[in-house]
Amino acid sequence: MKHLIDLTEWTAEDLEKVFNYATVIKNNQNSGFKPLAGKSVALYFEKPSLRTRVSFDIGIQELGGNTTVVEQFMAGIGTRESVHDVANTLNGFVDAMVCRLFNHQTLYELRQWSEMSIINALTDFSHPCQILADILTLKELGLWKNSLVMTWVGDPNNVLQSWLEIALMYPITVNISSPDIPTEFDSWFKDPRMKDRIFWIQDPKKAVSVADMVYVDTWISMGQEAEAEARLKKYEGYSVNQELSGYMPDHAVMLHCLPAKRGQEVDDFTMNKFKKVIFHESENRLHVQKAVMAYLLAPETTEVFYRLKTGQA
Ligand code: CP
Ligand code: NVA
């Protein structure tokens, strides 16, 4: 049983397969490819979501599967019922569980008892599906290259964690521009695999000026609302606004995983300037997650479909 919890558990081959499948699935949307026919997927969200929840729900249906939303207030994983008992119950009903959780450890606990594929739809720790869609987008726009220089501006968070995990697979450089580096990211700077490929550039102007791609996310992630005032103060000066984005090289793009808090980490001008690439990426959540599910739940059928559509059958 294969899962998508941490990108570090996937190989470069897994990733290439998913990107290849995503392209073929996206380009053949009306081909009747239904690898999830007869399969059911539970969606369990402890935090709000627009893109992730809708794209998984629609994606499962488009691949011929059934979705069921398990409401947190009904199931209460770990509160109303133990993780163990929830996993064993859902094992009897569904083939996969898409989970957006606060506590990343709960994913491991679910997996321990699971006969279903567990898919990480964001935790406090990481957000792998986001990065898969980001890379698919960069590939499609001809902006992906192994020597890509990615500059993260603002709060080092769960989305950055997934970018760093993927950086272990591709020789990209990660610059982090923030007032400080939170201790949970310290180990990345000591990791020999990231030698000469991870830098803290405190000055955001300097940091964006060397980027091929600038990445922006909220300064107040879901669950951190009580710290809003302090965070707004801390990251003042790190807004990728009209002035700061003016320091980006002409060829560079900005991605934002969304939702954007316009007027905080980004402004209307910069959002509008990079609107095309940002919403292209947002749509790609659908296509790449379809590829993830097809790969996890129906690998053989999907490989046959891929070979057929790419003339390798
Ligand atoms: N980017 C992202 O995961 O968006 P949602 O929180 O709306 O799902
Ligand atoms: N860092 C953000 C990402 C939202 C998709 C959060 O966790 O709220």
Side-chain angles (χ1 to χ4, degrees):
M1 179 64 53
K2 213 167 159 49
H3 309 272
L4 175 53
I5 294 182
D6 298 317
L7 288 167
T8 46
E9 296 174 335
W10 275 33
T11 62
E13 195 191 341
D14 291 325
L15 290 169
E16 279 318 295
K17 271 190 195 288
V18 160
F19 292 131
N20 288 340
Y21 293 166
T23 302
V24 163
I25 291 171
K26 184 173 179 178
N27 292 340
N28 294 277
Q29 290 188 62
N30 299 314
S31 64
F33 177 55
K34 304 284 177 199
L36 301 194
K39 297 187 189 291
S40 298
V41 181
L43 304 175
Y44 182 77
F45 282 67
E46 290 179 348
K47 301 184 185 194
S49 171
L50 172 65
R51 280 146 290 274
T52 311
R53 179 160 153 180
V54 175
S55 56
F56 267 110
D57 199 347
I58 299 291
I60 293 157
Q61 295 178 53
E62 287 181 358
L63 293 178
N66 303 306
T67 60
T68 182
V69 174
V70 179
E71 300 291 356
Q72 187 194 1
F73 76 94
M74 295 240 190
I77 298 181
T79 50
R80 181 172 184 263
E81 204 165 352
S82 71
V83 177
H84 168 272
D85 289 349
V86 170
N88 275 298
T89 302
L90 290 177
N91 280 340
F93 302 148
V94 301
D95 300 281
M97 191 174 175
V98 173
C99 302
R100 173 165 283 193
L101 306 174
F102 285 93
N103 187 352
H104 194 73
Q105 299 303 316
T106 308
L107 292 177
Y108 302 136
E109 214 182 320
L110 277 167
R111 173 170 66 184
Q112 188 182 344
W113 309 108
S114 181
E115 287 161 20
M116 340 161 248
S117 282
I118 303 295
I119 299 176
N120 177 358
L122 180 148
T123 64
D124 284 350
F125 181 68
S126 66
H127 195 6
C129 294
Q130 180 65 51
I131 275 51
L132 297 179
D134 294 336
I135 294 182
L136 179 65
T137 306
L138 295 172
K139 280 175 179 269
E140 287 178 347
L141 297 176
L143 301 169
W144 178 248
K145 51 180 182 174
N146 274 340
S147 58
L148 184 94
V149 177
M150 186 276 231
T151 290
W152 178 274
V153 184
D155 181 39
N157 64 15
N158 46 2
V159 175
L160 174 61
Q161 170 66 27
S162 290
W163 262 105
L164 288 165
E165 291 181 9
I166 210 107
L168 296 177
M169 234 83 73
Y170 302 103
I172 61 175
T173 295
V174 179
N175 298 319
I176 304 174
S177 188
S178 55
D180 55 20
I181 298 291
T183 49
E184 56 270 32
F185 284 90
D186 277 351
S187 61
W188 285 106
F189 286 84
K190 296 180 189 126
D191 192 321
R193 295 169 300 176
M194 291 303 290
K195 190 174 174 331
D196 299 331
R197 293 202 294 124
I198 181 165
F199 301 97
W200 175 39
I201 307 178
Q202 202 174 11
D203 176 354
K205 289 181 183 142
K206 212 165 160 186
V208 302
S209 72
V210 294
D212 296 314
M213 192 260 290
V214 171
Y215 207 102
V216 185
D217 187 13
T218 181
W219 301 333
I220 307 153
S221 285
M222 293 177 276
Q224 298 174 332
E225 291 77 7
E227 302 163 25
E229 206 180 320
R231 287 177 161 274
L232 290 178
K233 204 158 180 269
K234 177 172 182 178
Y235 292 109
E236 220 183 311
Y238 286 85
S239 178
V240 183
N241 53 25
Q242 183 166 5
E243 192 206 339
L244 186 56
S245 62
Y247 287 85
M248 289 167 60
D250 289 345
H251 75 277
V253 290
M254 184 195 79
L255 276 181
H256 192 310
C257 60
L258 304 174
K261 305 229 173 63
R262 290 165 182 249
Q264 294 181 17
E265 76 276 2
V266 70
D267 67 354
D268 282 332
F269 174 87
T270 316
M271 281 299 286
N272 291 340
K273 183 167 172 193
F274 295 105
K275 185 177 166 179
K276 219 167 147 212
V277 57
I278 291 169
F279 288 96
H280 185 136
E281 179 283 318
S282 165
E283 185 196 314
N284 272 342
R285 295 292 304 278
L286 171 71
H287 306 297
V288 90
Q289 289 161 195
K290 283 167 84 173
V292 166
M293 291 185 289
Y295 182 50
L296 294 180
L297 301 179
E300 280 150 31
T301 317
T302 308
E303 181 65 23
V304 169
F305 178 72
Y306 171 70
R307 285 174 177 273
L308 192 73
K309 293 296 175 191
T310 53
Q312 300 175 57

